[in-house]
C-alpha cells in the first residue's frame, strides 16, 4: 500500500475531509500528520512522509481482538489508548483488511455524530 492509494480511499468515503492540523509543530513527525475526518470528528491519522502505519478510532474490545490476531495492531502512540489503535502496514495484516478497518472506523465515527449532523451527512 502507498500513501496516495490510502489517501484516495479515505477521501472516497462520503463527506470526508482532510487537514494537517499540526503544521506548526516543532516535531517533523507531527508536522507531517494528515488527519481524515467526518463532520468535526477525526477517524484516521497517517504520517505522509513516514507512512508506516495509520491510527484509527476504535473501541476497546476491537483493539483486544485485533491484537490477539495481528502483530501489526498496537495501542495508538500519543493518543488515547482506549479509543485509538495503530495499524502498521507491510506486516501480518493484509492491505484489504486495513482498508476494511478504515471503513469500519469511518462508519463508527459517522454513527457517533449528533443526530442533526449525522442526518446532514448521511
Amino acid at each position: 500500500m502507498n500513501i496516495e492509494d490510502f489517501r484516495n480511499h479515505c477521501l472516497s468515503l462520503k463527506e470526508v475531509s482532510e487537514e494537517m492540523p499540526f503544521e506548526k509543530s516543532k516535531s517533523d513527525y507531527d508536522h507531517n500528520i494528515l488527519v481524515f475526518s467526518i463532520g468535526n470528528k477525526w477517524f484516521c491519522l497517517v504520517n505522509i512522509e513516514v507512512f508506516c502505519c495509520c491510527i484509527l478510532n476504535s473501541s476497546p474490545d476491537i483493539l483486544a481482538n485485533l491484537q490477539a490476531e495481528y502483530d501489526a495492531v498496537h495501542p495508538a502512540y500519543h493518543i488515547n489508548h482506549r479509543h485509538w489503535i495503530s495499524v502498521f502496514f507491510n506486516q501480518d495484516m493484509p492491505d484489504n483488511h486495513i482498508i476494511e478497518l478504515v471503513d469500519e472506523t469511518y462508519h463508527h465515527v459517522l454513527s457517533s455524530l449528533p443526530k442533526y449532523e449525522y442526518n446532514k451527512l448521511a
Side-chain angles (χ1 to χ4, degrees):
M1 183 171 331
N2 63 55
I3 183 61
E4 283 305 315
D5 291 341
F6 187 84
R7 180 177 172 264
N8 288 337
H9 177 76
C10 290
L11 291 174
S12 74
L13 301 169
K14 187 176 180 183
E15 300 296 329
V16 168
S17 60
E18 65 181 348
E19 65 178 317
M20 295 184 76
F22 309 113
E23 290 183 85
K24 294 181 181 177
S25 173
K26 292 180 182 176
S27 160
D28 286 339
Y29 187 88
D30 292 348
H31 179 80
N32 292 312
I33 292 178
L34 179 63
V35 175
F36 298 97
S37 59
I38 178 74
N40 64 350
K41 290 193 174 188
W42 297 357
F43 72 93
C44 178
L45 294 82
V46 65
N47 184 296
I48 61 172
E49 292 297 320
V50 177
F51 195 65
C52 62
C53 69
C54 59
I55 300 172
L56 302 173
N57 186 280
S58 184
S59 62
D61 57 324
I62 290 176
L63 172 61
N65 292 338
L66 289 173
Q67 276 188 298
E69 189 172 349
Y70 297 103
D71 292 334
V73 178
H74 301 272
Y77 183 69
H78 276 326
I79 198 163
N80 186 324
H81 294 177
R82 273 185 55 88
H83 298 286
W84 291 88
I85 61 173
S86 293
V87 180
F88 285 82
F89 302 119
N90 304 317
Q91 290 191 10
D92 61 337
M93 182 180 284
D95 288 351
N96 64 332
H97 193 169
I98 295 172
I99 293 298
E100 288 172 9
L101 284 176
V102 169
D103 292 351
E104 289 172 19
T105 298
Y106 164 82
H107 290 290
H108 170 74
V109 171
L110 179 63
S111 69
S112 74
L113 293 174
K115 192 170 187 173
Y116 71 90
E117 194 171 359
Y118 175 84
N119 290 338
K120 186 171 64 173
L121 298 173

